[in-house]
Amino acid sequence: MINVLHLYYDLLNLYGENANTRCIVHNLELNNIKVKVDLKSINDKIDFNKYDIIYIGSGSEEDILIALEDLKLRKQEIKKYIEDNKYLFLTGNSMDMFGKYIDTINTKVDALNIFDYYVEYLNEDVFHNASRNRIVGEVRAKSKIISEEIIGFQNRCDLVINSKSPLFETNEKYSNDLKNNKEGFNYKNVYATHIIGPLFIRNPYLIDYFLYNICKLKKLKYKSLDKISIKAYEKHTSKLIDENDIKD
């Protein structure tokens, strides 16, 4: 049995990211592995020890701050979960909650201070495009954990500063701080990225990698069996044209 917690499933599901947990369930069930997903939110009682996977998705800037205040009450439990080397997946701006602070331009909000990075919201002095002060677009990235390319989407207004352990490498304009090609964050089995899409639906090789290793810990056999998702991924990536190849 694999136990999954979708935390703040109601607040932090801005782009239909519950599809990530449904992808986990689908792939495990293809392998005849029992899986249970618990949906928990503000003020709910949670026994973190029972979960093999915790997933938190992205939300509006307002809802992230609401979830953060609840998560602060659970800081020691979530820190123990992380240090016990259990799997925590963070997509979109949910990673903002785990750094030192969030500078929203109008105010600076203390975050969980579990990791050393901090967050600054974009302003016109730093970044401005047709979508105002937001980074929006299709993303392609590379990872050290799998050889296949990572694909997805970003729609964000935040910079992650001082992330010394990035998860992916991508184009500078989709990087953590717009200054290099580093994107996301990784510590032990914490995997955080601004890439949405949803991430696991669009990247079958990535979710297969994670589920294989999670099942291995539980002495369960896992194989890549979602051939339809793999076919869709390969068809899409075969049509992608690198921006550097586009000629006027």
Side-chain angles (χ1 to χ4, degrees):
M1 167 75 81
I2 301 294
N3 288 295
V4 181
L5 170 61
H6 188 174
L7 187 54
Y8 309 121
Y9 69 97
D10 47 357
L11 279 175
L12 307 184
N13 184 36
L14 188 59
Y15 301 103
E17 290 190 288
N18 58 37
N20 283 315
T21 54
R22 286 188 281 122
C23 179
I24 291 170
V25 171
H26 174 71
N27 285 25
L28 290 172
E29 288 182 343
L30 285 177
N31 281 269
N32 295 314
I33 296 172
K34 292 182 179 180
V35 55
K36 184 175 186 295
V37 178
D38 287 344
L39 305 177
K40 300 287 186 178
S41 192
I42 303 294
N43 298 325
D44 287 341
K45 291 183 178 180
I46 302 173
D47 178 6
F48 287 93
N49 292 324
K50 68 182 284 189
Y51 297 107
D52 305 294
I53 299 170
I54 295 177
Y55 171 73
I56 308 177
S58 60
S60 69
E61 287 71 51
E62 294 81 5
D63 285 343
I64 280 289
L65 297 181
I66 293 171
L68 173 59
E69 291 308 305
D70 183 78
L71 202 54
K72 285 178 181 178
L73 302 176
R74 313 178 193 272
K75 178 177 177 178
Q76 295 309 315
E77 297 168 87
I78 200 75
K79 278 186 69 174
K80 182 180 184 304
Y81 181 91
I82 290 168
E83 292 303 325
D84 285 345
N85 215 29
K86 302 181 82 172
Y87 282 80
L88 173 61
F89 298 122
L90 307 170
T91 58
N93 56 354
S94 58
M95 67 184 294
D96 295 1
M97 299 186 291
F98 289 78
K100 288 186 173 181
Y101 62 82
I102 303 172
D103 188 344
T104 70
I105 301 176
N106 295 320
T107 185
K108 185 183 288 186
V109 178
D110 290 334
L112 290 175
N113 197 24
I114 292 177
F115 302 122
D116 288 337
Y117 60 80
Y118 57 94
V119 171
E120 294 180 352
Y121 280 15
L122 291 165
N123 58 60
E124 291 187 10
D125 294 331
V126 176
F127 183 90
H128 183 75
N129 65 8
S131 300
R132 298 184 65 80
N133 306 326
R134 299 191 73 85
I135 299 166
V136 180
E138 286 286 326
V139 184
R140 301 168 65 180
K142 294 181 179 179
S143 168
K144 293 181 180 179
I145 59 179
I146 61 171
S147 59
E148 292 82 7
E149 187 175 45
I150 305 299
I151 59 174
F153 190 78
Q154 284 189 6
N155 184 348
R156 51 185 267 238
C157 69
D158 51 333
L159 298 179
V160 178
I161 314 296
N162 197 39
S163 174
K164 297 178 180 177
S165 181
L167 178 59
F168 298 137
E169 292 184 357
T170 188
N171 185 294
E172 183 178 295
K173 70 179 181 179
Y174 298 115
S175 67
N176 285 327
D177 57 9
L178 305 182
K179 295 181 180 179
N180 51 49
N181 67 345
K182 309 303 182 185
E183 198 281 329
F185 177 78
N186 172 231
Y187 171 78
K188 292 192 172 185
N189 281 322
V190 176
Y191 299 92
T193 177
H194 272 102
I195 297 177
I196 54 178
L199 179 70
F200 292 156
I201 293 289
R202 296 190 69 179
N203 294 279
Y205 293 106
L206 182 66
I207 188 58
D208 280 340
Y209 168 84
F210 288 135
L211 292 181
Y212 173 83
N213 285 288
I214 291 167
C215 288
K216 186 177 180 180
L217 289 172
K218 303 277 288 187
K219 298 185 174 6
L220 299 169
K221 292 183 179 180
Y222 178 89
K223 291 183 179 180
S224 175
L225 296 175
D226 190 354
K227 305 304 181 186
I228 294 176
S229 292
I230 290 173
K231 185 177 180 180
Y233 168 88
E234 292 179 345
K235 183 176 181 179
H236 181 75
T237 53
S238 69
K239 291 183 178 181
L240 288 173
I241 301 175
D242 194 292
E243 291 181 351
N244 293 329
D245 294 332
I246 298 175
K247 306 296 182 182
D248 293 331

